[in-house]
Amino acid sequence: MFQDDGSSSVTSSPLQPFPMMSLSPGFGSPYPWLRELKSEERGLYLIHLLLACANHVASGSLENANVTLDQISQLASPEGDTMQRIAAYFTEALAERILKHWPGIYKALHATRISSVSEEILVGKLFFELCPFLKVAFVVANQAIVEAMEGEKMVHVIDLNASEPAQWRALLQDLGARPEGPPHLRITGVHQKKEVLEQMAHILTEEAEKLDIPFQFNQIVSKLEDIDVEKLRVKTGEALAISSVLQLHTLLANDDELLRKKSPLTAKNANGVVKLQKPLQMNLDASGKLLDKELVNGYSPGHDSASSSPLSFNSSARMDSFLNALWGLSPKVMVISEQDSNHSGSTLMERLSESLYFYAALFDCLESTLPRSSPERLKVEKMLFGEEIKNIIASEGMERKSRHEKLEKWIQRLDLAGFGSVPLSYYGMLQARRLLQSYSCEGYMIKEENGRLMVCWQDRSLFSVSAWRCRR
């Protein structure tokens, strides 16, 4: 038996509409009555089982967690409907969290795992092609950069997550069409994989030659947290733009246990009890897909459940230092895209509650785009979404990099670092809306909030794009 630090215990069952004997360790597999549930009942029951399992894991009730995992396995499937696929990956994440309490077993099971750079690149490209989120971010960022660089003859762009050359190919074309002629463009790409940067350098150099634009590409092989800002080599006379796509949140990783001991405010979280008294409700559309509406006992999507926790804001010295260093480079514009959800809560239940809804929406996007048998869809869900879910649920401390936060938190953090908001232009917003209209499936929407853009699926905001400049 183990006790998960900072977690909660179960004091009442979330499974009120269903037989209580289903969680009894003595109740045998394969639970034949589970197979008789209708699709809607199955989806609701899977959510209840996931929440119950997370509570068992958090409170150290390993035997009950094992029985619940067994039940979920009877219903979940990576090739099923949205809720079945979601459950499959969250179950894997909860199981991995349990295994980490036995490091010998955990290391042995992962000793022969192979990480293929080519597979990672392929999955990134699939996500870019299948979902519009990155394309919208690129279109809006490029428009903000073009507008900020009007009349500039020497332009330097720093890409803090240089994984997709499509953005900068489009920027080269935009700058090449300027009435005053193109500037001299220098792009500095930061990525931990040398192969990714070399491929980007080759593609962009060829494009610049076609367009007859003076161009230089600098490669910095590094994780963002290890980067030396001096190596970005911003030169006198250059107009600087910075682009960060789904990357800054990785700097929020902390030694949570150390922070918990230092802060009396987090003691309530650490010893708190999550009561799952209210049956979780969900609304279904005509196709039976999950549309997230309401969560348990005050944790609701869109409501920042960890807003009072010092762990969720301004808790990273590395983030503060990095933003201060970027401010010192005096960029004319900095465009930031981030996942718009609170996955940085200090407790397992907070993170599971928020991430369930976020990833249910992403899985729904793919459900509307590709058939369930699609190998491309399976790769994106397993190798991209599944790995993020695993990091959010199974990892702690410095290993937990997927600490996504809501836009409000980024606004506060950037404001404190000395950056002022730059409203995105009407033309940039128009381009984003036109891009979404080009997608055959409905459900994608653009929301504008005080000059910032939110890309939504149905009524749920999933990704934010905002522009900033140094406030002097």
Side-chain angles (χ1 to χ4, degrees):
M1 302 287 281
F2 60 84
Q3 179 69 39
D4 220 344
D5 291 340
S7 61
S8 51
S9 60
V10 182
T11 58
S12 63
S13 172
L15 307 177
Q16 292 174 356
F18 302 98
M20 281 307 298
M21 66 176 180
S22 63
L23 285 184
S24 169
F27 191 76
S29 183
Y31 318 105
W33 66 272
L34 291 177
R35 300 290 186 181
E36 300 173 4
L37 293 175
K38 296 177 182 178
S39 176
E40 184 173 337
E41 292 173 335
R42 182 180 62 214
L44 180 60
Y45 193 36
L46 276 170
I47 295 174
H48 284 305
L49 284 172
L50 285 171
L51 292 169
C53 185
N55 265 284
H56 291 316
V57 172
S59 63
S61 181
L62 179 57
E63 191 173 20
N64 280 335
N66 180 57
V67 172
T68 314
L69 287 171
D70 189 20
Q71 284 199 342
I72 296 171
S73 71
Q74 307 300 317
L75 301 176
S77 168
E79 296 178 351
D81 62 27
T82 295
M83 200 56 236
Q84 286 179 301
R85 300 195 327 272
I86 279 281
Y89 292 108
F90 274 88
T91 302
E92 185 180 6
L94 287 167
E96 178 145 327
R97 186 180 179 93
I98 294 172
L99 277 178
K100 284 188 174 182
H101 288 270
W102 290 274
I105 296 174
Y106 178 80
K107 289 175 184 176
L109 287 173
H110 291 78
T112 58
R113 177 173 289 182
I114 298 173
S115 177
S116 168
V117 174
S118 59
E119 280 287 295
E120 290 177 11
I121 295 172
L122 173 62
V123 170
K125 289 187 179 300
L126 284 174
F127 178 62
F128 174 75
E129 292 297 336
L130 295 175
C131 300
F133 306 111
L134 293 182
K135 290 181 180 178
V136 168
F138 292 166
V139 162
V140 173
N142 281 4
Q143 185 60 32
I145 291 171
V146 167
E147 291 169 4
M149 298 301 163
E150 187 175 349
E152 297 288 352
K153 295 182 179 179
M154 300 282 290
V155 174
H156 184 184
V157 177
I158 297 173
D159 184 353
L160 298 178
N161 185 22
S163 57
E164 179 50 66
Q167 177 179 9
W168 306 126
R169 286 183 69 177
L171 181 68
L172 280 164
Q173 293 163 10
D174 290 341
L175 292 176
R178 292 198 317 183
E180 68 269 36
H184 183 286
L185 177 63
R186 191 157 69 98
I187 294 179
T188 297
V190 180
H191 199 278
Q192 57 184 316
K193 304 289 187 183
K194 185 178 180 181
E195 300 93 324
V196 173
L197 292 173
E198 287 177 344
Q199 184 183 50
M200 180 174 281
H202 175 72
I203 291 171
L204 296 182
T205 301
E206 275 194 347
E207 186 70 22
E209 288 175 356
K210 286 180 189 175
L211 298 169
D212 196 25
I213 295 177
F215 177 73
Q216 180 184 355
F217 188 84
N218 299 329
Q219 304 178 31
I220 297 183
V221 182
S222 173
K223 294 181 180 179
L224 192 61
E225 62 260 34
D226 298 329
I227 195 170
D228 179 0
V229 175
E230 293 292 322
K231 291 183 179 179
L232 298 175
R233 295 184 296 173
V234 178
K235 299 175 182 178
T236 303
E238 287 182 329
L240 178 65
I242 299 174
S243 172
S244 175
V245 178
L246 312 185
Q247 193 66 17
L248 274 187
H249 65 264
T250 60
L251 296 178
L252 294 171
N254 273 306
D255 186 341
D256 299 322
E257 186 58 33
L258 182 63
L259 285 170
R260 215 176 261 125
K261 289 176 181 177
K262 286 183 178 180
S263 174
L265 293 176
T266 57
K268 291 180 181 179
N269 256 351
N271 299 318
V273 174
V274 174
K275 298 183 180 181
L276 302 176
Q277 296 172 325
K278 183 179 181 182
L280 186 143
Q281 301 172 15
M282 65 180 185
N283 292 343
L284 300 168
D285 65 9
S287 302
K289 302 188 188 79
L290 177 67
L291 294 178
D292 44 315
K293 287 295 179 185
E294 187 175 355
L295 199 48
V296 181
N297 199 31
Y299 292 125
S300 62
H303 177 269
D304 197 357
S305 57
S307 60
S308 61
S309 169
L311 286 175
S312 65
F313 175 64
N314 206 26
S315 60
S316 172
R318 287 186 306 168
M319 176 67 80
D320 296 341
S321 175
F322 188 73
L323 289 179
N324 287 336
L326 293 184
W327 184 89
L329 297 177
S330 301
K332 289 196 74 173
V333 67
M334 180 167 73
V335 187
I336 295 175
S337 302
E338 281 289 336
Q339 293 90 340
D340 191 50
S341 191
N342 177 26
H343 301 153
S344 62
S346 59
T347 69
L348 172 61
M349 289 305 298
E350 283 178 333
R351 302 202 301 273
L352 183 129
S353 299
E354 289 285 329
S355 56
L356 258 178
Y357 284 95
F358 180 81
Y359 287 99
L362 283 178
F363 276 62
D364 260 353
C365 295
L366 289 183
E367 176 91 359
S368 301
T369 307
L370 292 172
R372 292 180 187 176
S373 59
S374 166
E376 291 82 9
R377 174 172 143 173
L378 185 62
K379 282 184 178 180
V380 171
E381 291 179 344
K382 179 174 177 57
M383 297 179 66
L384 184 60
F385 300 161
E387 289 303 308
E388 288 179 1
I389 290 168
K390 205 178 290 183
N391 190 257
I392 293 167
I393 300 301
S395 298
E396 294 294 350
M398 299 302 292
E399 288 184 358
R400 182 155 59 87
K401 304 290 187 184
S402 296
R403 300 188 181 223
H404 311 138
E405 290 195 338
K406 301 288 287 183
L407 177 60
E408 306 91 83
K409 292 287 182 64
W410 290 108
I411 292 171
Q412 294 174 46
R413 186 174 281 114
L414 288 157
D415 182 65
L416 286 174
F419 289 93
S421 180
V422 177
L424 298 171
S425 69
Y426 169 80
Y427 186 61
M429 297 284 190
L430 183 62
Q431 286 181 294
R433 288 191 170 91
R434 285 176 176 170
L435 195 155
L436 285 190
Q437 288 170 1
S438 69
Y439 274 72
S440 56
C441 61
E442 298 179 358
Y444 293 113
M445 294 191 301
I446 293 287
K447 287 183 184 176
E448 182 183 355
E449 294 184 4
N450 299 318
R452 307 174 189 100
L453 179 146
M454 320 289 284
V455 191
C456 309
W457 175 253
Q458 308 294 357
D459 58 350
R460 178 163 184 90
S461 172
L462 295 178
F463 294 88
S464 66
V465 186
S466 57
W468 305 83
R469 61 169 165 251
C470 291
R471 191 178 61 244
R472 296 292 180 182

